[in-house]
Amino acid sequence: MGQGRLLGLACCLLLLLGGSGGRGTLRGLWEEEQGPVADWGPWGRTRYEAVKKHLGAVGALSKQYWQYLVCKVWEEGCEEEEEEESSPGPGWSLPLVGQDYLEILSAWYCSFGKCCKTGDCRIVNNITGLEADLRGQLHGQHLAKEVIVRAVQGFLQSPRPQKALVLSFHGWSGTGKNFVARMLASHLYRDGLKSQCVRVFISLFHFPHHKYVDSYKAQLKKQISETLRLCKQSLFVFDEAEKLHFSLLDAIKPFMAHYDSKGQVDYHRSIFLFLSNLGGNAINEVALDFWRASRAREEISMEFLEQRLRLELLEPAENSYARSHLLEENLIDFFVPFLPLEFHHVKLCARDAFLARGLPYTESALDEVARMMAFVPKEEKLFSAQGCKSVSQRINYFLP
């Protein structure tokens, strides 16, 4: 959006401002200039000169407002304004109300385009909205809701964090890991995943060939460094993290480790998310054991589940977590387990899909969508094998 498209709005703003600024209103100036010896003849010379002078004053004042507006919104002409302020001349003052209007206009303009070189003006950090959306849209994940909100909120409120925040999401496919990553991006940045401060890496898409791992390492470190220089708060998402070559994880350790910030780039204000299916079996076994013991899944504690999850991640299988040094060096701040989803959770996902598309639904329709999913184990048929993945596509069967 350029200057021309805001000209009309700015002119309206100047009309609002002109009546209260500078050296008095037009009416006040008129009365002041007339004085007791004014020529009361119809459009006499004195009145003509007064009107001419007043209109010139209003024009000059409007020019001052416009220069201030351009400097405030587009950061152009600010040097000229500083020179004028430093040089003696007839004073003009921007009314307090006018300053408020310009602040509002500046913020409104920044919501559509870039207003700062670092991109920080597009960071929103809406924790209240994040908590509300997690509560209303993430189903069956009481542990994930609690851990994510506390971890992110505590990190953002810390004046000087000691290291980057590193969260590792674990669970079966379709349980909400990618959904939460997108939600985090949308509530931390106005542009969500499109923000220049957010980078998403998918293992098999961005790093498909192990023989090019050295090239991948150089590219990855360069992209992270460039993003950190651009944004004081960055978000990096690594999907399918278990398929990352372990040397890639080791290559980005310096960006996540404890260190004393003495360089120009501050790594502390960055968040790393690792999304993985690893640990899903351990998480599901715990959930199944609680169900068999007739205990509510909400009784599963983070302390109990994290121990089981760590043991599975440290197994000597060919996975990046076990072979890298992320675990042994305690670089991961929080392991976030995503529990398997049951029948009623799938129904809630189906309801959300109908609402998102503005479609009516019935309980029988939600039941039918849920029954279309495969459930495991074979005997109990308790957990959706795909979680809520493909639910939004399945409601197409119910379209007229």
Side-chain angles (χ1 to χ4, degrees):
M1 178 179 297
Q3 297 184 15
R5 298 180 65 182
L6 282 178
L7 183 58
L9 177 61
C11 290
C12 295
L13 177 63
L14 295 179
L15 290 175
L16 291 173
L17 297 176
S20 59
R23 303 171 60 181
T25 64
L26 180 59
R27 179 181 177 183
L29 289 170
W30 181 290
E31 294 172 352
E32 180 183 348
E33 287 290 339
Q34 279 184 328
V37 292
D39 184 0
W40 292 100
W43 289 101
R45 181 68 181 177
T46 303
R47 174 175 293 184
Y48 169 78
E49 292 296 337
V51 171
K52 180 179 178 181
K53 185 175 182 179
H54 300 155
L55 291 176
V58 172
L61 181 60
S62 298
K63 181 180 179 182
Q64 294 277 14
Y65 280 127
W66 177 251
Q67 290 178 349
Y68 183 88
L69 174 66
V70 171
C71 172
K72 189 69 178 175
V73 178
W74 295 288
E75 298 183 1
E76 298 176 3
C78 298
E79 296 179 357
E80 297 177 2
E81 182 177 300
E82 291 175 358
E83 292 177 359
E84 291 178 1
E85 290 178 354
S86 61
S87 62
W92 75 284
S93 61
L94 185 66
L96 180 60
V97 174
Q99 288 180 337
D100 292 339
Y101 281 136
L102 286 176
E103 293 292 345
I104 294 172
L105 178 60
S106 178
W108 173 79
Y109 175 78
C110 288
S111 69
F112 291 95
K114 301 176 185 176
C115 288
C116 50
K117 295 180 180 179
T118 63
D120 295 338
C121 62
R122 304 191 68 80
I123 296 175
V124 293
N125 290 342
N126 181 12
I127 301 300
T128 302
L130 172 64
E131 187 174 8
D133 280 354
L134 286 173
R135 183 171 58 251
Q137 300 180 34
L138 182 64
H139 307 300
Q141 307 297 349
H142 68 285
L143 293 175
K145 294 176 186 177
E146 179 181 3
V147 173
I148 291 169
V149 171
R150 288 187 178 182
V152 175
Q153 186 173 33
F155 176 74
L156 296 178
Q157 291 178 348
S158 175
R160 294 185 61 86
Q162 297 299 311
K163 64 182 292 293
L165 176 63
V166 183
L167 305 178
S168 189
F169 294 178
H170 297 272
W172 268 7
S173 177
T175 52
K177 302 186 297 296
N178 281 281
F179 180 67
V180 172
R182 292 193 300 270
M183 192 180 294
L184 269 171
S186 65
H187 285 290
L188 297 183
Y189 304 91
R190 185 176 286 114
D191 297 329
L193 291 177
K194 296 181 180 179
S195 171
Q196 293 182 340
C197 300
V198 179
R199 299 302 299 266
V200 179
F201 303 97
I202 304 173
S203 298
L204 296 182
F205 180 78
H206 291 96
F207 319 109
H209 306 293
H210 285 181
K211 62 180 179 180
Y212 300 129
V213 67
D214 290 335
S215 176
Y216 295 153
K217 288 168 59 176
Q219 294 175 12
L220 181 59
K221 289 193 289 186
K222 180 182 178 182
Q223 290 174 348
I224 292 178
S225 297
E226 290 176 348
T227 305
L228 291 172
R229 290 190 184 95
L230 176 67
C231 307
K232 293 182 180 179
Q233 177 184 304
S234 306
L235 174 64
F236 302 98
V237 181
F238 292 86
D239 195 8
E240 300 177 340
E242 75 279 2
K243 299 173 184 176
L244 277 173
H245 195 279
F246 71 93
S247 62
L248 289 176
L249 288 176
D250 285 337
I252 62 177
K253 280 196 309 178
F255 301 106
M256 300 182 288
H258 296 266
Y259 79 111
D260 294 326
S261 179
K262 297 180 181 179
Q264 294 183 348
V265 180
D266 184 4
Y267 302 154
H268 293 167
R269 284 297 178 189
S270 54
I271 302 174
F272 288 80
L273 301 182
F274 294 97
L275 284 52
S276 173
N277 292 334
L278 283 177
N281 291 334
I283 295 171
N284 294 353
E285 289 175 4
V286 171
L288 185 59
D289 290 342
F290 269 69
W291 181 82
R292 287 171 175 168
S294 299
R295 299 177 62 183
R297 59 192 281 142
E298 288 73 21
E299 296 181 33
I300 301 175
S301 67
M302 190 65 206
E303 295 75 17
F304 177 75
L305 191 53
E306 185 173 359
Q307 295 178 2
R308 301 279 293 271
L309 185 57
R310 278 182 175 272
L311 289 175
E312 181 166 329
L313 294 179
L314 288 172
E315 288 181 358
E318 289 293 318
N319 71 73
S320 54
Y321 282 85
R323 299 182 63 186
S324 71
H325 298 87
L326 292 183
L327 298 179
E328 62 186 52
E329 296 184 18
N330 296 314
L331 296 181
I332 297 177
D333 299 301
F334 296 94
F335 293 93
V336 184
F338 284 75
L339 301 174
L341 300 181
E342 300 177 14
F343 188 88
H344 65 282
H345 298 133
V346 177
K347 286 181 60 178
L348 292 174
C349 291
R351 180 205 63 187
D352 293 346
F354 276 106
L355 292 175
R357 297 173 64 172
L359 299 174
Y361 65 89
T362 62
E363 279 296 316
S364 60
L366 300 183
D367 286 334
E368 190 168 349
V369 172
R371 283 194 294 267
M372 296 171 70
M373 309 295 287
F375 286 82
V376 294
K378 187 176 180 179
E379 296 78 15
E380 291 87 351
K381 295 189 179 299
L382 181 61
F383 305 132
S384 172
Q386 295 177 284
C388 279
K389 187 171 290 188
S390 78
V391 164
S392 59
Q393 285 77 25
R394 294 177 186 270
I395 68 173
N396 293 328
Y397 287 100
F398 300 89
L399 298 181

